[in-house]
Amino acid sequence: MKLESLIQAIPVKQISGNTNKEISGLDSDSRNIQQDFLFVAVKGTAVDGHQFIDKAIESGATAIVCEEMPENITPTTTYIQVSDSKEALGLLASKWYANPSRQLTLVGVTGTNGKTTIATLLYEMFRLFGEKAGLLSTVCNYIDEKAVPATHTTPDPITLNKLLREMVDAGCRYAFMEVSSHSADQKRIAGLDFDGGIFTNLTRDHLDYHKTVEAYLKAKKSFFDHLPKNAFALTNLDDKSGMVMLQNTKAAKHTYSLKTLADYKGRIIESRLDGTTLEINGREVEVQFVGKFNAYNLLAVYGATCLLGENPEKALIKLSMLIPVAGRFQTIHSPEKYTVIIDYAHTPDALANVLGSIREVVGKKGRIITVVGAGGNRDKGKRPIMAQEAVKISDRVILTSDNPRFEEPEDILSDMRAGLSPQQLRQVLSISDRREAIKTATQFAQPGDVILIAGKGHEDYQEIKGVKYHFNDKEEVEKIFKEYDQSEK
Ligand SMILES: CC(=O)N[C@H]1[C@@H](OP(=O)(O)OP(=O)(O)OC[C@H]2O[C@@H](n3ccc(=O)[nH]c3=O)[C@H](O)[C@@H]2O)O[C@H](CO)[C@@H](O)[C@@H]1O[C@H](C)C(=O)N[C@@H](C)C(=O)N[C@H](CCC(=O)O)C(=O)O
Ligand SMILES: Nc1ncnc2c1ncn2[C@@H]1O[C@H](COP(=O)(O)OP(=O)(O)OP(=O)(O)O)[C@@H](O)[C@H]1O
Ligand SMILES: N[C@H](CCC[C@H](N)C(=O)O)C(=O)O
Ligand SMILES: [Mg+2]
């Protein structure tokens, strides 16, 4: 593509050099630059990309987009100065891939918890309607049926637009994506043409990155602030940040709630370990999901499906056909008649919700044994609160390792234990080896009990000192059940 055509997508402050040249690709990482590439210098969280301008030119870059003009200018290179190169990167990536988001009905989901669940269920829902769709999520990306491994919840703008382009080329009409707070803050979504936005909830998370809850809220809100007039903005009326999100949006405002009058009003009629009977806008529906938080997720899915023009009656029928997403309240029944639930709850709020939902169903008939840890090199403040939430509702808690990353597992465990009183500590075991911790929980369990294994959900690795070792909670449980089966024979 011609450079002069490419940069029509961005607000330019100043240009030095010739724009009548052919560009063969673009990247914001100097290590990926090839001959005739455009390099976008971005100020990151660890380093300033402006440092790598010379390196990019050495690797073949013939054009540079930057916020500050370098002191030494190479005569054959074109420099384009902008006020915000993160935003420019998003806009350029969209233009490079011929604005695929404009050819798709694109819906973004943001909030602390529930993004993967809602985005995945919307993808499944529209496939049940016979549509071709794409999905960008924490667990996996999909181009129609083709799985593309995910590295981020929301990919960088180049990967993102490339995937959207592949969706268009594969004949997809719809795309559903998670919008993480990091991606909104880093403007990875700049330039995307959204047709709808969904807000789930806001509780503490990622404070290691955003520093304050206000900054975290602002990042999420910026997604709605940028939605166009013809899009819908669907929010959770029962979350205290629900209406704040929509304060400055131009999009059409819609609401869902389990508590008050809303466009999509739900009520839980009965909760069981194998599903829930729900009432939505006066109609009853059986769903294969457990817990109040999933009732919220399903209301959002139903609401968005209707807002995208599908028939409400048919949407309700399809809602009852949907099944849980990998590692999100996934239940496995043991040969010894207890239940194991694998869930990705890795925040205090998610843990409280999951445990609350389990207690609602189990009552006093069974005990709850919780296996949980907290990730290393991430928000430390959540550790003691997570331990507290686990102990509050469980009968027994086994604290264990999650992804320790570069921290010592024992240090993380002691941060968690610091949230507990001496009396609470009596119902808690600390077993840093996650495999051992899971095994111990199964040894405690009696018929009717529920074991919750929280924090890693679908993850198939444990990250220790920079190395990802294969590890999957569900596989570990299945191995134990198999051993039990064999010892019975
Ligand atoms: C903290 C964070 O979010 N970092 C993201 C960010 O990188 P950064 O700002 O740290 O980049 P940097 O290392 O400071 O470098 C600045 C610039 O210099 C460039 N550079 C750097 C080195 C070099 O030799 N040459 C060069 O050109 C880099 O390519 C970059 O453009 O921008 C990169 C490109 O988009 C992301 O890949 C990277 O994600 C890192 C790997 C990450 O782990 N992010 C996590 C925290 C994240 O984004 N998580 C959310 C989900 C959270 C959730 O809700 O659960 C997600 O959306 O996945
Ligand atoms: N609507 C909800 N409200 C509160 N908790 C929820 C909700 N939906 C899911 N959860 C809990 O949060 C966990 C993560 O759910 P999910 O993966 O859908 O969220 P996410 O927003 O994509 O998370 P991440 O930011 O880590 O990608 C689930 O395993 C469950 O415990
Ligand atoms: N996207 C989340 C995932 C955390 C999952 C947990 N298993 C951990 O490793 O901390 C984060 O980056 O905080
Ligand atoms: Mg997610």
Side-chain angles (χ1 to χ4, degrees):
M1 188 185 290
K2 273 270 161 58
L3 179 60
E4 58 194 358
S5 154
L6 182 57
I7 61 171
Q8 275 170 9
I10 54 172
V12 169
K13 268 169 92 175
Q14 196 194 144
I15 297 177
S16 150
N18 180 13
T19 55
N20 184 16
K21 53 167 85 164
E22 207 50 50
I23 292 296
S24 67
L26 77 164
D27 212 291
S28 61
D29 191 331
S30 59
R31 292 162 291 196
N32 299 335
I33 293 294
Q34 296 170 38
Q35 195 52 49
D36 296 327
F37 261 48
L38 166 73
F39 174 66
V40 184
V42 170
K43 288 181 184 158
T45 51
V47 289
D48 183 351
H50 288 77
Q51 266 170 246
F52 305 102
I53 291 180
D54 289 340
K55 170 92 195 326
I57 294 170
E58 264 171 48
S59 303
T62 48
I64 308 289
V65 167
C66 51
E67 289 175 10
E68 286 139 24
M69 286 292 201
E71 280 177 19
N72 302 322
I73 292 226
T74 313
T76 49
T77 311
T78 312
Y79 298 85
I80 298 127
Q81 192 186 22
V82 295
S83 57
D84 184 341
S85 48
K86 280 181 189 156
E87 186 181 64
L89 181 62
L91 297 170
L92 290 166
S94 274
K95 174 93 179 183
W96 182 260
Y97 288 102
N99 296 305
S101 63
R102 294 187 195 163
Q103 286 168 272
L104 291 160
T105 296
L106 177 65
V107 177
V109 188
T110 196
T112 308
N113 291 116
K115 299 185 294 297
T116 301
T117 307
I118 293 173
T120 310
L121 295 182
L122 276 169
Y123 163 80
E124 300 289 357
M125 173 70 108
F126 278 81
R127 286 167 53 81
L128 287 175
F129 271 109
E131 298 285 355
K132 279 194 173 188
L135 171 69
L136 301 180
S137 89
T138 318
V139 180
C140 191
N141 301 317
Y142 282 92
I143 293 156
D144 188 19
E145 280 175 0
K146 189 179 116 197
V148 180
T151 58
H152 286 73
T153 288
T154 311
D156 67 85
I158 299 173
T159 312
L160 177 46
N161 279 282
K162 182 168 182 281
L163 287 166
L164 294 179
R165 167 52 49 202
E166 284 180 42
M167 288 177 197
V168 174
D169 292 348
C172 296
R173 268 186 65 196
Y174 293 89
F176 302 99
M177 67 178 282
E178 294 185 48
V179 176
S180 70
S181 56
H182 296 75
S183 76
D185 183 57
Q186 292 165 20
K187 305 194 177 156
R188 292 181 207 158
I189 53 169
L192 296 187
D193 179 34
F194 283 99
D195 296 280
I198 301 174
F199 174 71
T200 64
N201 47 60
L202 191 121
T203 54
R204 87 165 277 145
D205 200 9
H206 304 308
L207 293 192
D208 51 325
Y209 178 88
H210 297 287
K211 311 295 179 215
T212 64
V213 174
E214 293 70 42
Y216 179 46
L217 184 143
K218 222 174 114 197
K220 300 254 179 227
K221 184 172 172 289
S222 74
F223 167 54
F224 293 98
D225 293 350
H226 287 96
L227 282 181
K229 218 172 99 194
N230 59 357
F232 69 78
L234 176 61
T235 198
N236 177 359
L237 213 46
D238 300 346
D239 188 275
K240 68 176 189 312
S241 307
M243 284 319 284
V244 181
M245 287 294 146
L246 306 198
Q247 249 166 21
N248 304 96
T249 192
K250 295 185 280 300
K253 299 175 187 175
H254 296 271
T255 54
Y256 61 95
S257 166
L258 283 178
K259 291 183 185 157
T260 64
L261 211 60
D263 298 326
Y264 304 97
K265 167 77 175 68
R267 185 167 71 88
I268 296 176
I269 297 176
E270 195 200 5
S271 306
R272 301 172 307 274
L273 260 185
D274 65 348
T276 305
T277 311
L278 278 179
E279 186 192 89
I280 301 181
N281 286 358
R283 296 195 186 96
E284 217 171 286
V285 57
E286 286 298 328
V287 296
Q288 302 173 54
F289 292 78
V290 186
K292 206 199 238 172
F293 63 88
N294 270 324
Y296 279 108
N297 294 340
L298 290 169
L299 273 177
V301 169
Y302 174 76
T305 307
C306 295
L307 288 168
L308 289 173
E310 294 296 347
N311 173 293
E313 283 288 347
K314 288 188 185 154
L316 219 51
I317 294 168
K318 301 215 162 24
L319 206 65
S320 67
M321 292 157 73
L322 297 173
I323 54 164
V325 178
R328 272 68 181 164
F329 218 105
Q330 241 183 338
T331 50
I332 319 171
H333 298 286
S334 95
E336 289 167 298
K337 309 258 178 302
Y338 60 84
T339 305
V340 178
I341 297 172
I342 315 266
D343 192 83
Y344 196 42
H346 53 77
T347 62
D349 173 66
L351 200 56
N353 280 324
V354 171
L355 281 167
S357 301
I358 299 176
R359 182 57 81 197
E360 249 170 55
V361 183
V362 173
K364 295 209 174 352
K365 296 191 298 281
R367 295 176 312 160
I368 303 177
I369 305 162
T370 298
V371 180
V372 67
N377 301 98
R378 295 274 195 277
D379 186 7
K380 285 192 181 185
K382 74 179 180 185
R383 294 175 189 171
I385 319 175
M386 283 178 72
Q388 183 61 241
E389 295 295 352
V391 168
K392 252 197 250 164
I393 304 183
S394 318
D395 297 283
R396 248 179 192 280
V397 172
I398 305 178
L399 296 178
T400 189
S401 199
D402 191 291
N403 290 310
R405 302 198 173 83
F406 292 94
E407 287 193 64
E408 288 306 323
E410 292 301 335
D411 295 345
I412 301 174
L413 286 177
S414 66
D415 286 346
M416 293 187 87
R417 278 197 302 266
L420 304 175
S421 67
Q423 199 190 345
Q424 288 176 318
L425 281 167
R426 266 184 243 137
Q427 43 164 321
V428 170
L429 274 181
S430 300
I431 305 175
S432 63
D433 181 333
R434 195 171 178 94
R435 190 166 280 128
E436 262 322 295
I438 294 174
K439 200 158 199 170
T440 308
T442 62
Q443 285 160 354
F444 281 141
Q446 301 288 323
D449 288 352
V450 173
I451 299 177
L452 169 69
I453 306 177
K456 289 182 63 63
H458 65 285
E459 290 177 0
D460 58 2
Y461 59 84
Q462 196 171 25
E463 190 181 336
I464 306 171
K465 299 212 164 34
V467 182
K468 286 188 172 175
Y469 298 92
H470 183 82
F471 193 98
N472 177 263
D473 288 344
K474 185 163 169 268
E475 274 175 30
E476 291 304 319
V477 172
E478 282 166 348
K479 249 189 268 167
I480 295 169
F481 289 177
K482 212 161 159 194
E483 279 165 23
Y484 176 84
D485 268 349
Q486 275 158 1
S487 68
E488 284 290 280
K489 279 176 197 151

